[in-house]
Amino acid sequence: MMIRYLPLFALMLSVPANAATYANPVDVDYRYNFEQVNEGVSYRTGADPVIVPFKGAYYLFLTLADGYWRSTDLVTWRFVTASRWPAEGIVAPAVTSDGERLLIMPSMTGQGAIYTTSDPASGKLDYYVRRLPNLPGAVRSGFEDAIKPGQVPPGPWDPDLFRDDDGRWYLYWNSSNVFPIYGAPISMADGKLTYGTPRESLVLLDPARHGWERFGQDHSGTLPDGTPIKPFMEGAWMTKVGGRYYLQYGAPGTEHNAYATGVYVGTSPLGPFTYAAYNPVGYKPGGFVQGAGHGNTFQDVHGNWWNTGTPWIGYNWTFERRVGLWPAAFEADGQMRVSTRFGDFPQRMPTARVSDPDALFTGWMLLSYRKPMTASASVAGHPPTDAADENPRSFWLSPSKAPGATLTVDLGAAKTVRAVQVNFADYQAGRFGDAADIYTDFRLEHSLDGRRWSPLARTEPPRRDRPNAYFELPRAVRTRYVRYVHGHIGGANLAVSDLRVFGNADGAPPAAPMLAEASRGRDQRDATIRWRRVPGAVGYNVRWGIKPDRLALTYQLFADRVAAGEAATLPLRAPTVGQRYYVAVEAFDEAGVSKLSGVAEIR
């Protein structure tokens, strides 16, 4: 088809080159899940993140961790063991601050508690409300099918507590593939919570119009065996900016790459709310980290916005997950956007206000993709090459976890290395809770010739588990080989899903791709984007959005994972019926990123 190109205007703000960096998944000591202890399924997981700034620090809460994490820079996190915690753990908590203390409300299907602390760094928690009243009109758990008009599902599950500027409190809740997200005014005082009225049904999924709300891998609408399934709506979070109320939600389900964050916008805490035309906002279906739904939105001490989410692994168990952190922004016209462009490559952590979240990308490219890998030994079916495929569900498996086991990547030539990320997999780990011997210890070495080795980085005290250990090197290193040398892990087996090396190769970035097709299907929820392949490209970013000068959404894919032929193709199944979209494509390799192709309307 004929492509009509439109101009693209880019806003870039420089970020200090010496700013600390991080890479997703967030480098915290994810805890071993205890829920499948009787089934013998062992894995580390983290999901449904909430990061709350409080008294100059940040506090991170996750599903099924017996405590929380503290950071002063959003890069380095320390686990805080709580003085009291429910035996069944906490799932998808609502966490907020009233300025004097933190309030922590777990998901519940009955009468649970709200916890509080004015000194979260100490871990000392008290009860704010020890026993909540029954949720008015709620049916009993397990009897949702018998719900009647005016009733609500058991809960509040997946809650969010929001305090407006006038001091009034509101509660939002629910997780379901049938029921909507609800909201209600509440009043709170030490020892008591009271549900107010109205208790409103606020927003409901509409997958028949919103392509991205279809469940399944790439919004297939089905389970892997082809069984149709309704999508889930969950993880409410309210943010107020510029007099607008942004009611965010996770959809269509955490079990696949398409998990995303959407938003409805209103002018009051209980609506009415209008579906945002630019949905989804947090979206990352491609790359090593896949999935960005069910998190929260917050401002750092410099005034920058951030959005968290729940990437999916799903090797050991459907709900084996990690945590992602992406820069965000609220534009002057009210559009909320979350930047996941190169969202699992190193990003700079700003030390001042930044107007364009895309400017935080370091420009350090992935040097290890599909590179030759060797190991001291391997278990059949899990070769070293599995640690260079950008897939967290495949991994190199060592026959021994004794110190000294090695895994080495050959970058193919001398290149400038700036950072390394070692991602461990859980293979028959045999752990179901915290213990003193659950920690990670290893060192990284490098060599120009594969014979003479020098230190590159290593884990340092205090000891902690690092399932997704990230190391920014203090200075750039010119090298060809990077070697992992094992020391200790807490699980029963040594398995590395990906040894990821970042930096830059010599040479110029690739040429800009040329768009060949940008078309809508008969079903307007489906689009086809096709472009001319760029010789030597490692991968492509398909960037799209509702404005030609604001392509806020990205689908990243590797060049060797698209169909063979002169043109590369992405079936994009996320558009909304009746909404106009624009698209462009950029190529990347180990040297850098191309200029964008021309911007075209998807017709």
Side-chain angles (χ1 to χ4, degrees):
M1 66 176 291
M2 180 67 68
I3 297 293
R4 179 171 63 89
Y5 293 115
L6 301 163
L8 177 72
F9 304 95
L11 171 66
M12 296 296 291
L13 181 69
S14 61
V15 178
N18 60 351
T21 66
Y22 76 100
N24 286 310
V26 174
D27 183 6
V28 299
D29 43 340
Y30 298 94
R31 318 314 264 186
Y32 278 97
N33 193 304
F34 62 85
E35 290 181 311
Q36 284 77 46
V37 61
N38 295 311
E39 293 81 11
V41 181
S42 171
Y43 59 96
R44 287 168 287 198
T45 190
D48 315 323
V50 177
I51 294 179
V52 178
F54 184 72
K55 295 184 178 179
Y58 305 94
Y59 293 88
L60 166 64
F61 293 79
L62 303 178
T63 285
L64 296 176
D66 292 335
Y68 47 90
W69 288 262
R70 181 181 190 271
S71 176
T72 57
D73 58 8
L74 291 174
V75 174
T76 302
W77 296 89
R78 176 182 65 86
F79 187 73
V80 179
T81 301
S83 63
R84 65 174 82 233
W85 208 256
E88 67 275 14
I90 286 179
V91 172
V95 186
T96 191
S97 168
D98 64 3
E100 299 298 324
R101 54 197 162 184
L102 291 183
L103 303 177
I104 307 158
M105 180 181 187
S107 292
M108 59 191 77
T109 57
Q111 294 175 274
I114 298 178
Y115 302 86
T116 186
T117 176
S118 58
D119 183 17
S122 71
K124 185 180 185 303
L125 300 187
D126 296 307
Y127 291 114
Y128 184 66
V129 177
R130 186 158 188 174
R131 185 171 175 83
L132 269 71
N134 284 313
L135 180 62
V139 299
R140 285 190 296 146
S141 181
F143 289 82
E144 289 87 349
D145 290 344
I147 199 167
K148 298 176 181 178
Q151 292 183 314
V152 298
W157 194 265
D158 275 13
D160 175 46
L161 292 169
F162 170 70
R163 188 177 188 233
D164 206 349
D165 299 335
D166 59 8
R168 296 180 181 178
W169 285 93
Y170 298 86
L171 174 69
Y172 308 90
W173 76 95
N174 208 30
S175 173
S176 175
N177 65 347
V178 176
F179 302 109
I181 285 177
Y182 296 88
I186 58 172
S187 60
M188 292 197 295
D190 285 333
K192 189 174 182 180
L193 179 147
T194 302
Y195 293 102
T197 57
R199 289 179 285 278
E200 297 279 8
S201 167
L202 299 179
V203 294
L204 185 64
L205 294 182
D206 187 5
R209 292 184 52 82
H210 309 152
W212 73 274
E213 291 181 349
R214 289 176 287 182
F215 191 89
Q217 191 76 4
D218 282 318
H219 313 292
S220 65
T222 69
L223 294 173
D225 63 3
T227 303
I229 184 171
K230 292 181 179 179
F232 281 78
M233 186 179 215
E234 55 199 1
W237 182 266
M238 175 62 78
T239 304
K240 184 180 182 182
V241 181
R244 299 182 180 96
Y245 294 82
Y246 294 82
L247 179 56
Q248 298 142 67
Y249 61 98
T254 190
E255 303 97 316
H256 298 285
N257 70 329
Y259 200 34
T261 294
V263 64
Y264 279 72
V265 184
T267 56
S268 71
L270 294 178
F273 292 99
T274 301
Y275 178 80
Y278 48 79
N279 272 318
V281 287
Y283 188 62
K284 196 180 183 308
F288 177 69
V289 170
Q290 297 182 353
H294 198 154
N296 82 309
T297 302
F298 69 96
Q299 268 186 303
D300 65 21
V301 296
H302 309 294
N304 299 303
W305 288 100
W306 296 88
N307 182 258
T308 64
T310 305
W312 172 69
I313 295 179
Y315 175 79
N316 291 284
W317 195 256
T318 304
F319 301 107
E320 180 183 10
R321 296 163 293 178
R322 291 290 188 267
V323 169
L325 173 65
W326 295 281
F330 291 87
E331 303 294 349
D333 61 5
Q335 180 173 343
M336 177 183 177
R337 67 184 179 106
V338 178
S339 176
T340 63
R341 176 179 175 263
F342 293 111
D344 50 32
F345 286 26
Q347 304 278 325
R348 287 194 172 91
M349 183 58 65
T351 56
R353 186 71 178 265
V354 176
S355 61
D356 180 15
D358 287 344
L360 297 178
F361 174 46
T362 60
W364 302 346
M365 310 309 296
L366 181 66
L367 305 178
S368 50
Y369 183 61
R370 301 293 190 191
K371 291 301 172 61
M373 304 282 289
T374 56
S376 51
S378 302
V379 173
H382 298 281
T385 51
D386 279 358
D389 64 359
E390 290 290 285
N391 180 1
R393 288 167 288 282
S394 65
F395 47 86
W396 164 66
L397 181 61
S398 172
S400 170
K401 70 167 187 174
T406 61
L407 175 66
T408 304
V409 58
D410 177 1
L411 302 180
K415 294 170 185 176
T416 302
V417 175
R418 303 298 301 265
V420 180
Q421 186 188 55
V422 182
N423 299 275
F424 293 89
D426 283 308
Y427 178 76
Q428 299 180 5
R431 308 307 295 258
F432 300 94
D434 303 338
D437 67 329
I438 298 178
Y439 65 90
T440 307
D441 179 59
F442 64 88
R443 68 180 189 271
L444 297 172
E445 300 174 338
H446 75 98
S447 172
L448 276 168
D449 58 12
R451 296 187 300 273
R452 292 167 294 182
W453 295 88
S454 301
L456 188 64
R458 70 161 305 140
T459 53
E460 295 179 349
R463 295 192 315 196
R464 64 182 178 95
D465 200 20
R466 301 186 67 177
N468 304 95
Y470 173 76
F471 298 89
E472 175 189 350
L473 304 183
R475 62 189 62 84
V477 174
R478 188 77 175 171
T479 195
R480 174 172 175 171
Y481 299 90
V482 174
R483 180 166 72 182
Y484 167 92
V485 183
H486 183 60
H488 177 86
I489 56 168
N493 293 285
L494 170 59
V496 175
S497 68
D498 279 84
L499 175 57
R500 307 176 77 211
V501 181
F502 297 96
N504 296 97
D506 297 334
M514 179 178 292
L515 272 176
E517 180 182 353
S519 62
R520 301 289 281 266
R522 180 175 297 178
D523 183 340
Q524 283 205 340
R525 299 174 299 175
D526 299 336
T528 299
I529 314 301
R530 186 172 288 115
W531 61 97
R532 301 281 184 179
R533 292 179 183 273
V534 176
V538 173
Y540 304 94
N541 288 329
V542 177
R543 301 178 61 185
W544 56 287
I546 66 170
K547 295 185 177 183
D549 59 345
R550 192 183 296 161
L551 305 179
L553 296 161
T554 300
Y555 196 125
Q556 183 185 88
L557 66 164
F558 289 97
D560 64 343
R561 295 186 185 177
V562 293
E566 185 179 358
T569 303
L570 173 67
L572 185 63
R573 295 173 51 80
T576 292
V577 173
Q579 176 61 49
R580 179 176 292 181
Y581 293 97
Y582 302 87
V583 66
V585 182
E586 61 189 2
F588 61 90
D589 62 12
E590 296 180 356
V593 188
S594 76
K595 293 182 179 179
L596 269 177
S597 70
V599 180
E601 183 177 351
I602 305 176
R603 294 179 177 272

